[in-house]
Amino acid sequence: MLGTPGFRAKRLAQARLARGLTAVSLSELVGVKSANISQYEHAKQSPSPSVLEKLSQVLNVPQQFFLKPEWTSDMDRINYRSMSSATKGARNRVEARYEWMKEIVAYLAEFVDFPALALPNINIPNDFHTLSMADIESIATACRQFWNLGVSPISDVVLLLENSGVIVGRGEMGAETLDAFSQWPKDEPRPYIFLGSDKTSLVRSRFDALHELGHLLLHRNIDRRALKNNVSFRLMEDQCHYFSSAMLLPGEAYSRELIEPTLNAFLTLKPRWKASIAGQIKRCEHLGILNPDGIKRMWINMNRRGWRTAEPLDDKLPTEEPRLLRRSINLVIESGLKTKSQMIGDLGLNPGDVEALMCLPAGYFEDRRAEATEPQLKTKMVIEFGRPKWRS
């Protein structure tokens, strides 16, 4: 059978996983045997032009996507909230899309200098098991001092991370227990945080982002076998929960504002500190403001009010969206370095996928009028609180 010269096996597997399809389900949609899909993905044969066209339609990627050189990326050391077998399919799907995001970031780095990495250099013990919660409290305080945050609420967690050189993305996770994940690739100078868009709660997303920052700072060099040990994995999660809580609600300042630990008081402070009521209850436990009986009564009352499922104001507080990647795309286009058509052609991805991964408005790439462009100098971009600034 006539195949397709230059077909890249990994691209097919990547697209299939990104769409959440098994080899069997893809074969049924395309009209070939599942064994054929396996042969394609293991580079033992390539699809015919007609099958390639069908694969392109079903997987909603351009045919040229399957001809792009396979992009190698370190996919080890990803920190997940859940490593259970129940979330494996969702992890496979989001990792494939995360690979696309990293590939787009590498493409943009040819034109744009991202903000320099500026994370606090914290002395972490080799064995994370020895970290006490008091240690983590001190680390959170040191981080606030490093970023000159004082003891006030953090105005925008995502912007803080992006200004510090962290690449932040957002997309659907596809599983209830997967809220976010992070990675510091061995072969790259900067870390990544990927936030779920499935739940649109501002307070939940801020907590998740700082939780992942905790992984990047506390667990960067751990033995990955710890992830397979339930006790160690749970300890890592508890440490990052504590770190996130301490970052969001600095003990002394928050305690001064909390006149009395009641649900109504927590609700009043929620829009100021942008921290959930549940998170404030947990923080009161950390700080000794509530004893075990008081904590128990709070959870009972939360259930009675129906706040354990959805808290008040969750649908009123706007989420913090990543800006860096969107602005990088805009900068390259608006400076004339690339037209929209050229960029989509270079990336070889579905425009809708690029828009979603870069937090661009839907339809951004629909206007792809080609224009003659002149080469320009590499541009340096700095995003500051408030308006972005560009400089050459």
Side-chain angles (χ1 to χ4, degrees):
M1 181 185 295
L2 180 64
T4 300
F7 178 80
R8 305 287 181 164
K10 181 184 175 183
R11 291 296 184 183
L12 175 58
Q14 191 182 58
R16 176 178 62 77
L17 291 173
R19 302 309 184 209
L21 296 173
T22 65
V24 172
S25 59
L26 178 59
S27 69
E28 292 172 350
L29 292 169
V30 174
V32 299
K33 296 179 181 178
S34 59
N36 291 116
I37 300 296
S38 178
Q39 294 283 318
Y40 302 154
E41 291 189 358
H42 290 87
K44 294 183 178 178
Q45 63 173 290
S46 64
S48 67
S50 61
V51 172
L52 183 71
E53 182 179 4
K54 189 67 174 177
L55 287 169
S56 171
Q57 294 171 354
V58 169
L59 295 172
N60 197 21
V61 292
Q63 291 188 42
Q64 72 190 76
F65 169 81
F66 300 107
L67 307 179
K68 287 181 60 183
E70 296 174 351
W71 190 75
T72 57
S73 171
D74 174 21
M75 294 301 287
D76 189 21
R77 309 176 69 82
I78 295 181
N79 303 297
Y80 280 110
R81 197 71 53 86
S82 171
M83 295 294 288
S84 70
S85 58
T87 63
K88 184 177 180 180
R91 293 199 308 269
N92 287 340
R93 178 183 180 276
V94 77
E95 280 183 22
R97 295 182 62 78
Y98 172 56
E99 278 190 301
W100 287 351
M101 187 191 88
K102 290 172 70 179
E103 194 168 352
I104 299 170
V105 169
Y107 172 81
L108 291 173
E110 297 177 14
F111 310 100
V112 171
D113 284 330
F114 295 120
L117 187 64
L119 296 181
N121 185 15
I122 297 173
N123 186 21
I124 302 295
N126 292 330
D127 184 0
F128 72 93
H129 295 86
T130 65
L131 273 174
S132 69
M133 294 309 173
D135 293 332
I136 295 173
E137 187 84 41
S138 297
I139 291 170
T141 299
C143 287
R144 278 183 155 267
Q145 291 172 346
F146 177 83
W147 283 308
N148 297 315
L149 297 173
V151 292
S152 300
I154 302 174
S155 61
D156 192 316
V157 169
V158 171
L159 190 57
L160 171 67
L161 293 170
E162 291 185 322
N163 282 345
S164 302
V166 179
I167 301 296
V168 183
R170 189 184 290 281
E172 292 184 5
M173 302 296 285
E176 183 68 25
T177 53
L178 295 180
D179 297 303
F181 64 86
S182 57
Q183 184 196 29
W184 199 321
K186 291 180 292 186
D187 56 353
E188 296 187 42
R190 63 184 67 246
Y192 294 77
I193 290 177
F194 195 94
L195 302 172
S197 61
D198 310 57
K199 307 161 186 130
T200 56
S201 165
L202 166 69
V203 294
R204 177 85 170 260
S205 183
R206 282 165 59 88
F207 185 90
D208 289 342
L210 290 171
H211 176 104
E212 297 307 324
L213 175 63
H215 278 306
L216 297 175
L217 296 177
L218 305 177
H219 306 135
R220 181 183 178 186
N221 298 315
I222 67 165
D223 186 337
R224 304 312 286 178
R225 288 176 292 185
L227 296 176
K228 299 179 181 179
N229 181 296
N230 288 336
V231 174
S232 294
F233 181 79
R234 187 67 257 166
L235 176 59
M236 291 170 59
E237 288 299 293
D238 288 344
Q239 288 175 344
C240 290
H241 281 338
Y242 195 105
F243 173 83
S244 181
S245 182
M247 283 291 292
L248 283 172
L249 302 167
E252 186 177 346
Y254 173 71
S255 299
R256 282 198 305 267
E257 294 192 17
L258 181 65
I259 305 302
E260 185 179 2
T262 66
L263 291 184
N264 287 338
F266 296 143
L267 177 58
T268 299
L269 292 178
K270 180 174 179 174
R272 167 166 164 72
W273 288 93
K274 300 178 186 176
S276 69
I277 296 170
Q280 292 182 68
I281 294 173
K282 196 68 179 176
R283 187 60 173 150
C284 285
E285 181 181 2
H286 296 164
L287 299 172
I289 295 173
L290 286 170
N291 60 30
D293 287 340
I295 294 291
K296 183 177 180 180
R297 285 195 299 272
M298 287 295 173
W299 294 131
I300 290 173
N301 288 331
M302 284 277 285
N303 274 323
R304 284 175 177 168
R305 298 192 187 191
W307 290 3
R308 294 298 294 272
T309 303
E311 290 188 6
L313 302 181
D314 277 353
D315 59 344
K316 300 291 192 298
L317 300 173
T319 56
E320 299 168 355
E321 293 298 328
R323 303 159 172 79
L324 181 62
L325 299 181
R326 181 184 74 232
R327 290 178 176 179
S328 298
I329 293 274
N330 283 329
L331 179 61
V332 173
I333 298 296
E334 292 171 4
S335 66
L337 292 171
K338 291 286 181 177
T339 64
K340 293 180 180 181
S341 291
Q342 288 171 335
M343 182 175 288
I344 288 299
D346 292 344
L347 294 172
L349 291 167
N350 181 294
D353 289 317
V354 180
E355 291 162 359
L357 290 168
M358 298 292 103
C359 296
L360 289 162
Y364 175 86
F365 286 104
E366 286 181 1
D367 178 15
R368 292 184 244 166
R369 291 169 292 181
E371 298 178 2
T373 60
E374 297 293 334
Q376 297 187 22
L377 293 176
K378 188 174 182 181
T379 305
K380 185 172 184 65
M381 175 175 61
V382 176
I383 295 182
E384 298 179 350
F385 284 87
R387 298 184 63 184
K389 294 184 178 180
W390 319 108
R391 67 170 181 249
S392 299

